[in-house]
Structures are given as C-alpha cells and as structure tokens.
Amino acid sequence: MQMDKDNYEVHVSSFDDDVATSTPLTFWQKVDRFIALDSRTEGVNSNHDLDPVPSEEQNWNTRHYALFWISDHLSVSGFRSAASVMQVGLSWRLALLNISIANLVQGFFITLNGLVGAQYHIPFSIQSRASFGYNLSYLMILMRCIVGIFWYGIQIYTGAECVQSMLYALWPSFHNVANTLPKSANITTQFMTAYVIYFVSCLPFHYVGVHKLKWLFLVKAITTPICAFAIMGWMIKEVGLGDMFNQGNTVKGSTLGWTFVSCLNSNIGSGTTLMVNAPDYSRYAKKESSTYITTFAVPFTATIITFIGVVFAAGSKILYGTILWDPLLIINNWTSPGGRAAAFFCAFSFYLSQVGLNIAANSLAAANDLNCIFPRYINIRRGQFIAAVLGSWALTPWNILTSATGFLNFMSGYSIWLGPLFGILVSDFFFVHKRKYDIPGLYDFKGRYNYKYGFNWRAFAAFTCGWVPLLPGFIPTINGSTEANEGIKRLYKLGFWFGTLVGASTYYLLCKFFPDESTYVERGIYAHEIESLESELDVEYRYGIGDANESPVWSEKKVC
C-alpha cells in the first residue's frame, strides 16, 4: 500500500535503517506542514529572505540607489511636509530651511547605518542581534515592525485621497455621497469607500514582488514630476510670485525658535524608520561605495519637492484663504471639464506614486521584520500582506491624520524609541565591534552573540536611558488632559538628538567598562567564508546543532 506522505510522519528505526515506521499526523501538524515555508535553513531559524544576500542577487549599483531615494520622495507625502510646517507658524523660507536640514541629517544617517548591510549583506533584523542579543533583539524588531505597519497605514490613507480625487473627477456627484458614520469616527462614508478601493487595489502589487515592479517605479519617476511642476505652474499663474512669497512667520520670539526646533525634530523623526532599517536595502549593493549616493540624493530630492510644496501651501492660502497641506485638496477644486481631466491625471499619477512608496519604504520593511520573528512561516510576500491588513485596519490611520499638528506629533512620538535604537546600532558597529562581525555567529542561537540568555543588558540599559526621560514630554501630545512643564516640553522637542546621542554614548561606555570579550573577533567573518572555515572551527560550536560528525546545515546551502 502506498503511503500518503502529507498525512504521515515517517521515522527511521535506529536499530535497522531498512525498517521505517509511520505515525499519523495530528490536525495541527497538518496545518503546520501546510503553512510552513520550504526552507533549506530551517535548522538555523532562517529562510532565503533572511539569509545573507547571495552574490548573484547583489545587483544594486549607485544608479539604483539614487533612483530609489528620488522615487521615495516623489510622493504626496513629500509635498505635505512643507505645508504642515507652515501651518504651525513658520514662513516658507524657514519651512524650506527646516526640511532641507532634516533631510541632510536623514541622508547621512541612512548611509551610515546602511554600511553594515553593504559590507555584510544582512538585514536590520540580523544586525540587531550583535548589539542586543538574540532574544532582546526581537523586542527591537517588533517595535520597528509596528512603526513600519503604522506608516503603511498612513500611506494607505494618502493613497485613498488619490482615489477620492479620481472619483471626484470622474463623477462630480461623488461629492454628495451621504455620510452615515458618526463624527467621532474621524472618517466619512465617502472617504471609507475610496479607502477600501485603494486598499484592495494595492494587494496584487504585494503578490507580484518588488523585483518585478521596476516599471512601476519608472512610471512614477516620470509622471509625478510632470504633475508636480504642472500644479506649481498653474499656482504661480493664478497667484503670482510676488504675493506668494511675501508671507512671513505667524509666531515670534522664543516661540518661533522652539517651533523651528520642534518641526526639525519631527521631520528628522519621520526618517528614523529608514535610518534603522537601512541595511534592508543596502544589503543588495554590488559595492559598499554604491550606497554613498544616499547622502546626497535624499536632501537634494527632498529640497526640490519641499520647494514645490511651499508653492502649493503659500498659493493655496492666497487662493482659498487657508493652507491646503495636501496637493490633492488643491486639484479637488478643479471643477471645469478640462480641470477635471487634469485632476484625474494628477490623482492617478499620485496613486501610482503612493503604491510604489508604500511598497519600498513600509511594507517591505515590516515584512522583513515579520520574516525574522516567524522565519518558518513568513517570508517577505506573506509579511507584506500581514502588514497591509494590520496597517490599514487595525491601526485606524484616519485618527492620526486629522490635522497637521497631529501628523507632526505622531512623527515626533515614535522617534523617542527609534532614536536610541538607531544610536545603539551605529555605536555597536563602528565603535564597539569596529565593523568586525561574525556573520555565521549572528545566525547561531548558541553562538558568540547570545550574551546571557540572549539578552545584552548593556544595550537594554542604554536604550532605557535614551527614551525614558522623554516620556513625560510625549504623554501630553497624545493625552490633552496631561500637562508638562516648559523644561520637559523643550527636552521632548530635542527628542531625536537626545535619544540617539544618549543611547549611543551610554552603550559605548557600558561596553568599554563592562565588555563581553566573547563577542569580539579579530576580523570580520563573512557568509561566503563558512565552508572554508569548516576545517578551522568546530562544527558544534559554530552551528549549535547535533555533534561534530553531523552534516552542518550551513554547508549545505550556498549563502554566497
């Protein structure tokens, strides 16, 4: 009788290799077998998407990174930043300066932390094990994952605005759709319709895979600038340059100074997700130097987009009497037949832009994190679908984006945790381990980076010192009934710098005075060296599986 291998577990007898026994699988074992990934590296809690990038897949060069970051900023969100800063009181000049400085900082720090990926071709989730330990790193990965899912939801909200504008252009009667939702919901029936349409339309893009979506990023890079400059040209024609750029600050004195600082912190904070998970993208680099272009591409593109956003914001204040901090709100006012056609084209272009942005900057990052937490069951494709559902529906982004102030508060808020995390990662790589990691050891749960019980107390202490002092300033931003004194408020407005510097310096000092010598290596050990090192290193020590006579898992897979 032929045995159904999907319903039975086969065991080979230890007494006679020619005798096989079988045990029927339980229901849950069948479920596990059905959803588990086919992975050659299951024995070391990894899968292909989590492994060091093989040499044949290291195919990103300088051009790819430049286009990636240019494409990332060509979005509705990029245009919004200037308007949201102007709405809280800064002139267009200070808004432009503020966002330019923020993106200079972002570009440098993304490049800095991305070097570990460019050198060793590992993602952020594996990098974090070197400083936090195997088990504690999961807390950091989960926290980063949650932020990525949050951002996914925010960008889905923006994408729904694009769909809403397209519907306005196609069917003006859509303006009159009755709202059946209560005011406390912070969303209307009309917008919920657009939201559902956009969410469903994004799902096929997650299935296809980012490596097959080059055409989408190319189209985005062509059409979005055309629409942006077209809207800017129309705005200048309607308003005139003179009136548009005569607007000054609406806050004065020390309030102006601290508003500038707060906005700078918020705009830098919006990039901490990319700073932390920079290795997720830099790991595909052909050469380490290919990633250096990020330092220039980020501020250059952001400054241009910000200037266009300034024109949008300043012109809308003159035309409509209020700052429209979203360019889609501007095109919604184009109601003539020709205007509606132009509005549809612009909205569709922004739609494609948001799809590409959300995949590149958010869903892939969250999927990488989920992949590390559940490597047996979740790869990047599955992780993207999970992030899509959670970000779009569990986190209700419409409650976050109810005002420009709320948007800035949100961006500031999560950076109090990601700032210390980023500082510790950079401090560990450059100053503690001095760019020397044992890559096989990062995948071995019994290896050198286990610390004690997989928990590096030095990293935990530094992380705590970086965010706890900022908590009293953060709470009032989400709970209006709580007040903080002026000193606490001002410290919170410096939250990114405080968290990053305190986290990095505290971690370095703790490692200097209380070092864990077992984590240091004389030189970096790369993934492609695994097979060549077999004769030098004991198999059981390196792989933490079986005895020295067993075939090591890592030698069976060509990681590089």
Side-chain angles (χ1 to χ4, degrees), residues 93-289:
R93 294 178 180 85
L94 286 184
L96 185 61
L97 176 64
N98 190 287
I99 296 172
S100 298
I101 294 174
N103 280 277
L104 279 169
V105 173
Q106 283 187 27
F108 175 73
F109 282 160
I110 290 170
T111 304
L112 193 66
N113 194 41
L115 290 179
V116 65
Q119 181 176 343
Y120 291 108
H121 307 287
I122 57 174
F124 148 72
S125 51
I126 300 301
Q127 172 202 15
S128 64
R129 294 174 177 175
S131 50
F132 288 91
Y134 302 114
N135 294 330
L136 182 58
S137 69
Y138 282 118
L139 176 62
M140 303 298 117
I141 294 166
L142 180 62
M143 181 178 63
R144 166 64 189 89
C145 180
I146 291 172
V147 172
I149 292 172
F150 256 111
W151 267 113
Y152 183 94
I154 289 173
Q155 298 299 348
I156 281 284
Y157 183 98
T158 302
E161 287 186 307
C162 299
V163 172
Q164 180 178 248
S165 295
M166 290 163 63
L167 293 175
Y168 284 157
L170 290 173
W171 298 289
S173 60
F174 190 69
H175 282 277
N176 303 319
V177 172
N179 179 34
T180 59
L181 297 175
K183 186 177 180 180
S184 59
N186 288 322
I187 189 170
T188 63
T189 301
Q190 180 193 86
F191 192 78
M192 180 60 76
T193 302
Y195 191 88
V196 171
I197 292 173
Y198 184 76
F199 169 76
V200 172
S201 69
C202 286
L203 297 181
F205 292 97
H206 297 319
Y207 182 83
V208 169
V210 68
H211 62 287
K212 296 180 181 179
L213 292 177
K214 292 181 180 179
W215 63 268
L216 174 63
F217 296 103
L218 176 62
V219 171
K220 171 184 173 179
I222 295 172
T223 60
T224 306
I226 292 174
C227 291
F229 282 107
I231 298 173
M232 184 177 71
W234 173 83
M235 186 70 73
I236 293 173
K237 177 179 177 293
E238 293 293 317
V239 177
L241 286 174
D243 293 334
M244 186 181 299
F245 294 108
N246 284 334
Q247 300 174 62
N249 304 307
T250 58
V251 290
K252 307 292 182 183
S254 62
T255 303
L256 173 62
W258 282 106
T259 299
F260 185 91
V261 170
S262 178
C263 291
L264 182 63
N265 184 68
S266 297
N267 284 301
I268 295 175
S270 68
T272 50
T273 53
L274 294 170
M275 297 177 204
V276 168
N277 77 296
D280 291 347
Y281 308 107
S282 62
R283 64 192 294 221
Y284 298 102
K286 282 184 179 180
K287 299 184 296 182
E288 183 179 303
S289 58

Side-chain angles (χ1 to χ4, degrees), residues 217-387:
F217 296 103
L218 176 62
V219 171
K220 171 184 173 179
I222 295 172
T223 60
T224 306
I226 292 174
C227 291
F229 282 107
I231 298 173
M232 184 177 71
W234 173 83
M235 186 70 73
I236 293 173
K237 177 179 177 293
E238 293 293 317
V239 177
L241 286 174
D243 293 334
M244 186 181 299
F245 294 108
N246 284 334
Q247 300 174 62
N249 304 307
T250 58
V251 290
K252 307 292 182 183
S254 62
T255 303
L256 173 62
W258 282 106
T259 299
F260 185 91
V261 170
S262 178
C263 291
L264 182 63
N265 184 68
S266 297
N267 284 301
I268 295 175
S270 68
T272 50
T273 53
L274 294 170
M275 297 177 204
V276 168
N277 77 296
D280 291 347
Y281 308 107
S282 62
R283 64 192 294 221
Y284 298 102
K286 282 184 179 180
K287 299 184 296 182
E288 183 179 303
S289 58
S290 299
T291 65
Y292 296 167
I293 191 65
T294 301
T295 306
F296 308 100
V298 170
F300 174 76
T301 309
T303 300
I304 293 176
I305 296 303
T306 299
F307 178 77
I308 297 174
V310 164
V311 174
F312 291 174
S316 66
K317 186 174 182 180
I318 296 171
L319 276 179
Y320 307 112
T322 184
I323 292 178
L324 299 180
W325 63 299
D326 189 326
L328 291 165
L329 298 177
I330 296 174
I331 66 174
N332 288 344
N333 288 282
W334 298 352
T335 55
S336 67
R340 284 167 45 204
F344 178 84
F345 176 79
C346 291
F348 181 71
S349 173
F350 289 141
Y351 163 87
L352 293 177
S353 175
Q354 287 304 121
V355 172
L357 169 64
N358 222 4
I359 291 173
N362 300 312
S363 67
L364 281 178
N368 270 302
D369 296 336
L370 290 169
N371 178 30
C372 181
I373 298 172
F374 305 105
R376 178 173 169 80
Y377 303 105
I378 298 178
N379 55 17
I380 289 180
R381 174 181 287 171
R382 293 181 181 182
Q384 286 193 83
F385 282 113
I386 293 171

Side-chain angles (χ1 to χ4, degrees), residues 10-21:
V10 179
H11 305 277
V12 179
S13 170
S14 60
F15 298 101
D16 185 353
D17 288 343
D18 295 329
V19 179
T21 62

